[in-house]
Coordinates of all heavy atoms in Angstrom, one line a residue:
A1268 N 8.4 -11.4 9.6 CA 7.3 -11.1 8.6 C 8.0 -10.8 7.2 O 9.2 -10.5 7.1 CB 6.5 -9.9 9.0
W1269 N 7.2 -11.0 6.2 CA 7.5 -10.6 4.9 C 6.7 -9.5 4.4 O 5.4 -9.5 4.6 CB 7.3 -11.8 3.9 CG 8.3 -12.9 4.1 CD1 8.0 -14.1 4.7 CD2 9.6 -13.0 3.6 NE1 9.2 -14.9 4.7 CE2 10.1 -14.2 4.0 CE3 10.4 -12.1 2.9 CZ2 11.4 -14.6 3.7 CZ3 11.7 -12.5 2.5 CH2 12.2 -13.7 3.0
F1270 N 7.3 -8.5 3.8 CA 6.6 -7.4 3.2 C 7.1 -7.4 1.7 O 8.1 -8.0 1.4 CB 7.0 -6.0 3.8 CG 6.4 -5.9 5.2 CD1 6.9 -6.5 6.3 CD2 5.3 -5.1 5.4 CE1 6.4 -6.3 7.6 CE2 4.7 -4.9 6.7 CZ 5.3 -5.5 7.7
R1271 N 6.4 -6.7 0.9 CA 6.8 -6.5 -0.5 C 6.5 -5.1 -1.0 O 5.6 -4.4 -0.5 CB 6.2 -7.5 -1.4 CG 4.7 -7.4 -1.6 CD 4.1 -8.6 -2.4 NE 2.7 -8.5 -2.6 CZ 2.0 -9.5 -3.2 NH1 2.6 -10.6 -3.5 NH2 0.7 -9.3 -3.3
Q1272 N 7.3 -4.6 -1.9 CA 7.1 -3.3 -2.5 C 7.5 -3.3 -3.9 O 8.6 -3.7 -4.3 CB 8.0 -2.3 -1.7 CG 7.7 -0.8 -2.1 CD 8.3 0.2 -1.1 OE1 9.2 -0.2 -0.4 NE2 7.7 1.4 -1.1
A1273 N 6.6 -2.9 -4.7 CA 6.8 -2.7 -6.2 C 7.1 -1.2 -6.4 O 6.7 -0.3 -5.7 CB 5.6 -3.1 -7.0
P1274 N 7.8 -0.9 -7.5 CA 8.1 0.5 -7.8 C 6.9 1.4 -7.9 O 5.9 1.0 -8.6 CB 8.8 0.4 -9.1 CG 9.4 -0.9 -9.2 CD 8.4 -1.8 -8.4
G1275 N 6.9 2.5 -7.2 CA 5.7 3.4 -7.3 C 4.6 3.0 -6.4 O 3.6 3.7 -6.4
K1276 N 4.7 2.0 -5.6 CA 3.6 1.5 -4.8 C 4.1 1.5 -3.3 O 5.3 1.4 -3.0 CB 3.1 0.1 -5.2 CG 2.6 0.0 -6.6 CD 2.1 -1.3 -6.9 CE 0.8 -1.7 -6.2 NZ 0.2 -3.0 -6.6
E1277 N 3.2 1.5 -2.4 CA 3.5 1.5 -1.0 C 3.9 0.1 -0.6 O 3.5 -0.9 -1.2 CB 2.3 1.9 -0.2 CG 1.9 3.4 -0.4 CD 0.7 3.7 0.5 OE1 0.0 2.9 1.1 OE2 0.4 4.9 0.7
R1278 N 4.7 0.0 0.5 CA 5.1 -1.3 1.0 C 3.8 -2.0 1.5 O 2.9 -1.4 2.2 CB 6.1 -1.1 2.2 CG 6.6 -2.3 2.8 CD 7.7 -2.0 3.8 NE 8.9 -1.4 3.1 CZ 9.9 -0.9 3.8 NH1 9.9 -0.9 5.1 NH2 10.9 -0.4 3.1
E1279 N 3.8 -3.3 1.3 CA 2.6 -4.1 1.5 C 2.9 -5.3 2.4 O 3.9 -6.0 2.2 CB 2.0 -4.6 0.2 CG 0.8 -5.6 0.3 CD 0.4 -6.2 -1.0 OE1 1.3 -6.1 -1.9 OE2 -0.7 -6.6 -1.1
F1280 N 2.2 -5.5 3.4 CA 2.3 -6.6 4.3 C 1.9 -7.9 3.5 O 0.9 -7.9 2.8 CB 1.4 -6.5 5.5 CG 1.4 -7.7 6.4 CD1 2.3 -8.0 7.3 CD2 0.3 -8.6 6.3 CE1 2.3 -9.1 8.1 CE2 0.2 -9.8 7.0 CZ 1.2 -10.0 8.0
V1281 N 2.7 -8.9 3.6 CA 2.5 -10.2 2.9 C 2.1 -11.3 3.9 O 1.0 -11.9 3.8 CB 3.7 -10.6 2.1 CG1 3.5 -12.0 1.5 CG2 4.0 -9.6 1.1
S1282 N 2.9 -11.5 4.9 CA 2.7 -12.6 5.9 C 3.6 -12.4 7.1 O 4.7 -11.8 7.0 CB 3.0 -13.9 5.2 OG 2.7 -15.0 6.0
S1283 N 3.2 -12.9 8.2 CA 4.0 -12.9 9.4 C 3.9 -14.2 10.1 O 2.9 -15.0 9.9 CB 3.5 -11.8 10.4 OG 2.2 -12.0 10.9
I1284 N 4.8 -14.4 11.0 CA 4.8 -15.7 11.8 C 5.4 -15.4 13.2 O 6.4 -14.8 13.3 CB 5.5 -16.8 11.1 CG1 5.3 -18.1 11.8 CG2 6.9 -16.5 10.8 CD1 5.6 -19.4 11.0
H1285 N 4.7 -15.8 14.2 CA 5.2 -15.7 15.6 C 6.1 -16.8 15.9 O 6.2 -17.9 15.2 CB 3.9 -15.7 16.5 CG 4.2 -15.3 17.9 ND1 4.6 -16.2 18.9 CD2 4.2 -14.1 18.5 CE1 4.8 -15.6 20.0 NE2 4.5 -14.3 19.8
S1286 N 6.8 -16.7 17.0 CA 7.8 -17.7 17.4 C 7.0 -19.0 17.8 O 7.6 -20.1 17.7 CB 8.6 -17.3 18.6 OG 7.8 -16.9 19.7
D1287 N 5.7 -18.9 18.1 CA 4.9 -20.1 18.4 C 4.3 -20.7 17.1 O 3.5 -21.6 17.2 CB 3.9 -19.8 19.4 CG 2.8 -18.9 19.0 OD1 2.8 -18.4 17.8 OD2 1.9 -18.5 19.8
L1288 N 4.7 -20.1 16.0 CA 4.4 -20.6 14.6 C 3.0 -20.2 14.2 O 2.5 -20.8 13.2 CB 4.6 -22.1 14.5 CG 6.0 -22.7 14.9 CD1 6.1 -24.2 14.7 CD2 7.1 -22.0 14.1
V1289 N 2.3 -19.3 14.9 CA 1.0 -18.8 14.4 C 1.3 -17.9 13.2 O 2.0 -16.9 13.3 CB 0.3 -18.1 15.5 CG1 -1.0 -17.5 15.0 CG2 0.0 -19.0 16.7
P1290 N 0.7 -18.2 12.1 CA 0.9 -17.4 10.9 C -0.3 -16.4 10.6 O -1.4 -16.6 11.0 CB 0.9 -18.4 9.8 CG 0.0 -19.5 10.2 CD 0.0 -19.5 11.7
T1291 N 0.0 -15.4 9.9 CA -1.0 -14.5 9.4 C -0.6 -14.2 7.9 O 0.5 -14.0 7.6 CB -1.0 -13.1 10.2 OG1 -1.3 -13.4 11.5 CG2 -2.1 -12.2 9.6
Y1292 N -1.7 -14.1 7.1 CA -1.5 -13.8 5.6 C -2.3 -12.7 5.2 O -3.5 -12.5 5.6 CB -1.9 -15.1 4.8 CG -1.0 -16.3 5.1 CD1 -1.5 -17.3 6.0 CD2 0.2 -16.5 4.5 CE1 -0.7 -18.4 6.3 CE2 1.0 -17.6 4.7 CZ 0.5 -18.6 5.6 OH 1.3 -19.7 5.9
A1293 N -1.8 -11.9 4.3 CA -2.6 -10.9 3.6 C -3.6 -11.7 2.7 O -3.3 -12.8 2.2 CB -1.7 -10.0 2.7
D1294 N -4.8 -11.1 2.5 CA -5.8 -11.7 1.7 C -5.3 -12.0 0.3 O -5.7 -13.0 -0.3 CB -7.0 -10.8 1.6 CG -7.8 -10.8 2.9 OD1 -7.6 -11.7 3.8 OD2 -8.6 -9.9 3.1
S1295 N -4.4 -11.2 -0.2 CA -4.0 -11.4 -1.6 C -3.1 -12.6 -1.8 O -2.9 -13.1 -3.0 CB -3.2 -10.1 -2.0 OG -2.0 -10.0 -1.2
V1296 N -2.6 -13.2 -0.7 CA -1.7 -14.4 -0.9 C -2.3 -15.6 -0.2 O -1.6 -16.7 -0.3 CB -0.3 -14.1 -0.4 CG1 0.3 -12.8 -1.1 CG2 -0.3 -13.9 1.1
K1297 N -3.4 -15.5 0.5 CA -3.9 -16.7 1.2 C -4.2 -17.8 0.2 O -4.8 -17.6 -0.9 CB -5.2 -16.3 1.9 CG -5.0 -15.5 3.2 CD -6.3 -15.2 3.9 CE -6.1 -14.5 5.2 NZ -7.4 -14.2 5.9
G1298 N -3.8 -19.0 0.6 CA -4.0 -20.1 -0.2 C -2.9 -20.4 -1.3 O -2.9 -21.4 -1.9
R1299 N -2.1 -19.4 -1.4 CA -1.0 -19.5 -2.4 C 0.4 -19.5 -1.7 O 1.3 -20.2 -2.2 CB -1.0 -18.4 -3.4 CG -2.3 -18.4 -4.3 CD -2.2 -17.4 -5.4 NE -2.0 -16.0 -4.9 CZ -1.0 -15.3 -5.2 NH1 0.0 -15.7 -6.0 NH2 -0.9 -14.0 -4.8
F1300 N 0.6 -18.7 -0.7 CA 1.8 -18.6 0.0 C 1.7 -19.3 1.3 O 0.7 -19.4 2.0 CB 2.2 -17.2 0.3 CG 2.5 -16.4 -0.9 CD1 2.3 -16.8 -2.2 CD2 3.0 -15.1 -0.8 CE1 2.6 -16.1 -3.3 CE2 3.3 -14.3 -1.9 CZ 3.1 -14.8 -3.2
A1301 N 2.9 -19.8 1.8 CA 2.9 -20.5 3.1 C 4.2 -20.0 3.8 O 5.3 -20.1 3.3 CB 3.0 -22.0 3.0
I1302 N 4.0 -19.5 5.0 CA 5.1 -19.0 5.8 C 5.5 -20.1 6.9 O 4.6 -20.8 7.4 CB 4.8 -17.7 6.5 CG1 6.0 -17.0 7.1 CG2 3.7 -17.8 7.5 CD1 5.8 -15.6 7.5
D1303 N 6.8 -20.2 7.2 CA 7.2 -21.1 8.2 C 8.5 -20.5 8.8 O 9.1 -19.6 8.3 CB 7.5 -22.5 7.7 CG 7.5 -23.6 8.7 OD1 7.3 -23.3 9.9 OD2 7.9 -24.7 8.3
R1304 N 8.9 -21.0 10.0 CA 10.2 -20.6 10.6 C 10.8 -21.8 11.4 O 10.0 -22.6 11.9 CB 10.0 -19.4 11.4 CG 9.2 -19.5 12.7 CD 9.0 -18.2 13.4 NE 10.2 -17.8 14.1 CZ 10.3 -16.6 14.7 NH1 9.3 -15.8 14.8 NH2 11.5 -16.3 15.3
E1305 N 12.1 -21.8 11.5 CA 12.8 -22.7 12.3 C 13.5 -21.8 13.3 O 14.5 -21.2 13.1 CB 13.8 -23.5 11.5 CG 13.2 -24.4 10.4 CD 14.2 -25.2 9.7 OE1 14.8 -26.1 10.3 OE2 14.3 -25.0 8.5
N1306 N 13.0 -21.9 14.5 CA 13.5 -21.0 15.6 C 14.9 -21.3 16.0 O 15.7 -20.4 16.3 CB 12.6 -21.0 16.8 CG 11.2 -20.5 16.6 OD1 11.0 -19.6 15.7 ND2 10.2 -21.0 17.3
A1307 N 15.3 -22.5 15.9 CA 16.6 -22.9 16.3 C 17.7 -22.4 15.3 O 18.8 -22.2 15.7 CB 16.7 -24.4 16.4
K1308 N 17.2 -22.1 14.1 CA 18.1 -21.6 13.1 C 17.9 -20.1 12.8 O 18.6 -19.5 12.0 CB 17.9 -22.3 11.8 CG 18.2 -23.8 11.9 CD 17.8 -24.6 10.7 CE 18.5 -24.1 9.4 NZ 18.2 -25.0 8.2
N1309 N 17.0 -19.5 13.6 CA 16.6 -18.1 13.3 C 16.3 -17.8 11.9 O 16.7 -16.7 11.3 CB 17.7 -17.1 13.8 CG 17.9 -17.2 15.3 OD1 17.0 -17.4 16.1 ND2 19.2 -17.0 15.8
T1310 N 15.6 -18.7 11.3 CA 15.3 -18.6 9.8 C 13.8 -18.7 9.5 O 13.1 -19.5 10.1 CB 16.0 -19.8 9.1 OG1 17.5 -19.7 9.3 CG2 15.8 -19.7 7.6
M1311 N 13.4 -17.9 8.6 CA 12.0 -17.8 8.2 C 12.0 -18.1 6.7 O 12.9 -17.7 6.0 CB 11.4 -16.4 8.5 CG 10.0 -16.2 7.9 SD 9.4 -14.5 8.3 CE 10.5 -13.5 7.3
Y1312 N 10.9 -18.7 6.3 CA 10.7 -19.1 4.9 C 9.4 -18.6 4.4 O 8.4 -18.4 5.1 CB 10.7 -20.6 4.7 CG 12.0 -21.3 5.3 CD1 11.9 -21.8 6.6 CD2 13.1 -21.4 4.6 CE1 13.0 -22.4 7.2 CE2 14.3 -22.0 5.1 CZ 14.2 -22.5 6.4 OH 15.3 -23.1 7.0
L1313 N 9.3 -18.4 3.1 CA 8.1 -18.1 2.4 C 8.0 -18.9 1.2 O 8.8 -18.6 0.2 CB 7.9 -16.6 2.1 CG 6.6 -16.1 1.5 CD1 5.5 -16.3 2.5 CD2 6.6 -14.7 1.0
E1314 N 7.1 -19.9 1.2 CA 6.9 -20.7 0.0 C 5.8 -20.0 -0.8 O 4.7 -19.9 -0.3 CB 6.6 -22.1 0.3 CG 6.4 -23.0 -0.9 CD 6.2 -24.4 -0.6 OE1 6.5 -24.9 0.6 OE2 5.6 -25.2 -1.4
M1315 N 6.1 -19.6 -2.1 CA 5.2 -18.9 -2.9 C 4.8 -19.8 -4.1 O 5.7 -20.2 -4.8 CB 5.8 -17.6 -3.4 CG 6.3 -16.7 -2.3 SD 6.9 -15.1 -2.9 CE 8.4 -15.7 -3.8

């Protein structure tokens, strides 16, 4: 998953992705951000 935190603000959930590639997005980033992962490389991406 990706979280974000700005100074003086609480940590905020941004997006998550399961190993089966099912994604979840916070409402604030839906339609703008895309999450993906390559399990063979243990790598996750967030295209913003």
Side-chain angles (χ1 to χ4, degrees):
W1269 291 100
F1270 292 77
R1271 65 188 183 186
Q1272 187 167 22
K1276 300 183 68 175
E1277 295 182 346
R1278 183 174 296 171
E1279 175 188 19
F1280 173 83
V1281 176
S1282 184
S1283 67
I1284 187 164
H1285 193 271
S1286 60
D1287 65 5
L1288 305 184
V1289 176
T1291 301
Y1292 298 96
D1294 289 341
S1295 59
V1296 305
K1297 283 183 178 178
R1299 299 189 298 121
F1300 292 8
I1302 192 169
D1303 198 9
R1304 66 185 288 176
E1305 296 183 67
N1306 293 331
K1308 298 170 63 176
N1309 294 329
T1310 301
M1311 175 181 65
Y1312 307 94
L1313 184 68
E1314 182 176 340
M1315 304 183 294

